[in-house]
Amino acid sequence: MVLLGLLLLVLSAVAVLGAIFLLDSSGVEYFGADVPAVTLFVVGALSVVFIGTGVRLMASGTKRNLRARKELKRAERAQAERAQTEQAQTEQAQTEQAQADGVDTDRESPR
């Protein structure tokens, strides 16, 4: 989306700059072709539409990327919390099992 929006902006800029710099005072010659003034007006109007569309596409693509990054971070945090909870449960189960077997987990056995 962002690339398509950028492409539309570049094409519109080329059309507008071509209209500004390639026109001569004797007639309307646009990129080597004689064109009526109405056609030049239509090119300008379409450039404005393409610029608006390009900006909207870039904005929506950026929003979508940001949303995806937030969801990925949220999923990573949830996964880390689950792993931490599972580790704590495993350690607790091992401690309870050791206590049930009669081993004192607070002290190390003499060697």
Side-chain angles (χ1 to χ4, degrees), residues 18 93 99:
Q99 288 175 350

Side-chain angles (χ1 to χ4, degrees), residues 1 51 81:
M1 289 292 217
I51 288 171
E81 288 175 5

